[in-house]
Amino acid sequence: MGMTPGTLQSTTTSTSTITAYSALIQRAREAQLLGSTGHILSWDQETMMPPGGIDHRSQQMGLLARLHHQMLTDPAIAEAIAECESDRGFCEGDSIESANVRELRKDFDRATKLPPRLVSELAEVSGKGQHEWAGARSANDFARFRPWLERLVHLNREKAACLGVPQGGEPWDALAETFEPGCTAATVVKVFTPLRERLRVLIGELMSSSHKPSNRFNETKLPVDAQAQFVRMVVESIGFDFERGRLDTSTHPFCGGSHCDDVRMTTRYTESCLNDALGSSMHEAGHGMYEQGLLRSAIGTPVGEAVSLGIHESQSRLWENQVGRSNTFWKWCGPQLQRHFGACAAGFTHDEFYGAANVVEPGFIRVDADEATYNMHVMVRFELERLLMSGALDPKDLPGEWNRRYKEYLGVNVPDDRRGCLQDVHWSMGAFGYFPTYTLGTLYSAQFFDSATRAIGGLEAGFALGEFAPLRAWLNSQIHAHGRRYSPSALCLRVTGSELSSEPYLKYLEGKLRPLYSL
Ligand code: ZN
């Protein structure tokens, strides 16, 4: 994007608007420079920092959040935005400039609703809360985490009240807007309710089938060092650029970094199952390629930022599932694996590799879940965080309510809180209103992949030959390069010609799993 008059769509734009826009963009970029410094510190906290660093780090994060908030709410930003908005020719249409002004207005209005005290307190308590959660989780001790959860629930309810609950809505909606613009609990319920019924039927049928795919490969021990080399080769093959990104290890895989040329993703390895590391690395690489695919010339402006977590998750789920769990991918990956691991991986047929990537088994852990049961885990969390935010659920009752829903949704008895309500990091980081983006992303991924299949001849056949570049290029031009130029729903309509629907996903899932279970 440019800031010279020649790139603007309108010929009526005045010099003062151009000046105001340039000033606005400069301030947005400076705020991003500071904000992205915090992202590198968060990455460091998860990958490198010794445990002793936590108190000081939390203070650093609290201060950075306060300074970042100060920059975002500077009255000079409001003046520059207003100047741009007053030039109708400048703000109409969907030019990069008008999108930037529109999105910076939204960011400014949201940021000014939050008192600086709350912003820095949330950052500080989240940092410490996350640290305390990690300790409570490994000690399987909910009572240790409970006071932090109570504080974080309290602070987030305060945040929702400051942001303002939309008319006819609920506190959860105000928080979800940060992660998924336009998303409300009511719209989520509308998508989740029918999806849950179809999934319940499908899971029941798969579980009662007498034929199951072989799980043998998932029980094969492979040395972690060799796994790391292999996984790196795979994510590089699908298009992650190691000149502009890293892959490290952390307890919980994630993707962060400071901008499109410095993307930090992590994974984790278990000796007993390569598919854990492979699946989570392809997932994070999907996030990473979205970040690397953002417009370099728009760094620090909304058009150079990912549009929402749901769309972000569509990219990770697409590479993890539609690609990484596909029949043709394993025609390429299986032989690569046998060459790489030699005798350890010899003696597996294609059907065994492909089957092992698609075994369905209701369990306790979301991040280990297969494609059929995954969304049930998300639905449990959505219901619970909605109740926590409305005040209808007391944090002390969380374990009981969690376990009751797991029995109801997945038919499993949660053995302890470590494998129950303590398993996820999100609430300890103060992220409420986040979880549904996982399922929305899963639904988007199937819908996008359908469009890609129509647009690219021989797409899936190409995976068997290790040809992933056409898909990455398509995702880049259709999704990544737009940043926040279009809203998530407008982007979906633009890319797929339809609104978000669970049909493509259910069709994909049933079409793949039923044959694997001889149904
Ligand atoms: Zn993800």
Side-chain angles (χ1 to χ4, degrees):
M1 53 155 277
M3 286 174 291
T4 53
T7 64
L8 297 175
Q9 289 186 342
S10 166
T11 50
T12 59
T13 298
S14 70
T15 320
S16 68
T17 309
I18 308 286
T19 312
Y21 182 75
S22 299
L24 177 62
I25 293 304
Q26 194 189 337
R27 285 182 181 273
R29 288 197 157 134
E30 281 178 1
Q32 197 275 345
L33 285 176
L34 189 78
S36 61
T37 308
H39 297 159
I40 297 299
L41 288 183
S42 297
W43 170 85
D44 172 80
Q45 182 175 331
E46 293 306 303
T47 52
M48 301 287 166
M49 191 189 80
I54 187 63
D55 279 341
H56 195 78
R57 178 57 47 85
S58 301
Q59 289 173 35
Q60 290 174 322
M61 296 303 281
L63 178 62
L64 275 175
R66 187 158 59 78
L67 294 174
H68 186 234
H69 183 253
Q70 226 168 56
M71 292 174 90
L72 291 178
T73 55
D74 191 317
I77 289 196
E79 280 165 32
I81 293 173
E83 172 86 42
C84 294
E85 285 171 340
S86 69
D87 189 337
R88 285 187 57 199
F90 185 82
C91 279
E92 279 167 0
D94 71 345
S95 70
I96 284 177
E97 289 82 4
S98 65
N100 273 335
V101 172
R102 179 195 70 218
E103 294 300 304
L104 287 168
R105 158 63 68 195
K106 275 203 264 180
D107 293 350
F108 178 81
D109 286 349
R110 269 179 82 77
T112 46
K113 285 178 183 162
L114 300 175
R117 189 262 320 152
L118 180 61
V119 171
S120 64
E121 195 176 345
L122 262 169
E124 215 168 304
V125 175
S126 306
K128 277 192 195 155
Q130 194 178 340
H131 186 73
E132 288 300 317
W133 159 80
R137 178 173 172 268
S138 60
N140 187 28
D141 184 1
F142 178 74
R144 179 169 159 189
F145 178 53
R146 191 178 132 191
W148 292 93
L149 180 64
E150 282 167 351
R151 253 184 107 180
L152 285 160
V153 166
H154 177 79
L155 288 170
N156 273 281
R157 292 187 66 197
E158 188 187 342
K159 183 180 175 183
C162 292
L163 290 171
V165 175
Q167 203 167 12
E170 54 187 75
W172 187 91
D173 299 344
L175 300 170
E177 179 71 19
T178 314
F179 306 118
E180 195 66 19
C183 175
T184 65
T187 58
V188 172
V189 168
K190 221 170 97 187
V191 176
F192 279 17
T193 308
L195 177 64
R196 182 182 149 180
E197 280 325 297
R198 283 273 289 277
L199 288 175
R200 199 205 292 273
V201 171
L202 176 65
I203 295 165
E205 285 176 0
L206 298 176
M207 289 304 95
S208 54
S209 167
S210 55
H211 179 85
K212 292 183 185 354
S214 163
N215 196 42
R216 197 165 67 91
F217 178 61
N218 289 332
E219 291 155 358
T220 305
K221 283 191 176 178
L222 296 170
V224 164
D225 285 353
Q227 283 192 34
Q229 278 176 24
F230 182 72
V231 157
R232 192 183 158 97
M233 182 281 291
V234 172
V235 299
E236 195 160 27
S237 300
I238 63 174
F240 183 81
D241 182 354
F242 278 97
E243 285 295 312
R244 303 191 294 133
R246 294 183 55 89
L247 175 63
D248 295 275
T249 53
S250 68
T251 322
H252 285 268
F254 68 91
C255 180
S258 70
H259 71 298
C260 61
D261 291 333
D262 181 1
V263 177
R264 314 282 179 101
M265 57 178 192
T266 68
T267 190
R268 61 177 174 195
Y269 302 95
T270 47
E271 193 187 37
S272 56
C273 184
L274 171 73
N275 274 332
D276 279 355
L278 185 62
S280 71
S281 305
M282 287 183 76
H283 179 102
E284 299 309 332
H287 284 305
M289 289 189 281
Y290 185 4
E291 290 292 323
Q292 290 184 335
L294 291 165
L295 214 54
R296 180 177 292 108
S297 57
I299 291 172
T301 72
V303 168
E305 286 172 357
V307 65
S308 76
L309 289 187
I311 300 296
H312 228 305
E313 194 67 10
S314 77
Q315 301 305 292
S316 57
R317 301 288 286 169
L318 189 147
W319 286 102
E320 177 190 4
N321 297 326
Q322 271 81 9
V323 178
R325 284 169 155 149
S326 70
N327 199 346
T328 50
F329 172 81
W330 280 96
K331 285 190 174 147
W332 171 78
C333 190
Q336 296 280 340
L337 210 147
Q338 286 174 322
R339 253 195 303 280
H340 189 87
F341 291 97
C344 303
F348 288 97
T349 64
H350 166 75
D351 285 349
E352 285 175 311
F353 282 135
Y354 173 52
N358 287 288
V359 172
V360 173
E361 188 67 59
F364 316 114
I365 308 293
R366 176 182 63 85
V367 294
D368 294 341
D370 55 77
E371 283 178 279
T373 58
Y374 183 83
N375 296 296
M376 297 298 209
H377 293 262
V378 175
M379 291 176 197
V380 168
R381 289 154 175 77
F382 164 61
E383 286 180 15
L384 293 170
E385 64 179 14
R386 202 179 163 196
L387 294 170
L388 285 169
M389 286 305 109
S390 73
L393 176 63
D394 191 311
K396 78 171 166 27
D397 298 325
L398 181 65
E401 284 301 306
W402 179 285
N403 298 349
R404 190 174 67 72
R405 281 178 172 75
Y406 261 77
K407 181 73 185 168
E408 189 193 330
Y409 282 47
L410 286 159
V412 297
N413 294 307
V414 175
D416 49 43
D417 293 334
R418 191 168 57 83
R419 284 172 283 184
C421 67
L422 286 177
Q423 67 182 270
D424 285 310
V425 68
H426 307 64
W427 293 334
S428 80
M429 292 163 52
F432 295 86
Y434 185 126
F435 278 116
T437 64
Y438 288 126
T439 290
L440 296 176
T442 302
L443 303 180
Y444 277 127
S445 73
Q447 203 163 320
F448 290 154
F449 193 72
D450 261 5
S451 295
T453 308
R454 278 196 299 275
I456 307 166
L459 175 67
E460 287 192 79
F463 298 162
L465 307 169
E467 289 167 3
F468 306 105
L471 178 58
R472 196 184 59 82
W474 186 86
L475 292 169
N476 183 259
S477 66
Q478 297 291 310
I479 296 165
H480 308 167
H482 296 308
R484 291 168 66 186
R485 192 165 179 180
Y486 308 105
S487 71
S489 53
L491 184 68
C492 180
L493 201 57
R494 211 184 136 86
V495 176
T496 72
S498 334
E499 287 177 1
L500 178 66
S501 151
S502 54
E503 264 325 296
Y505 174 66
L506 286 163
K507 219 174 106 200
Y508 150 77
L509 199 61
E510 291 167 350
K512 178 168 72 167
L513 294 178
R514 287 170 149 272
L516 275 165
Y517 280 78
S518 301
L519 289 168

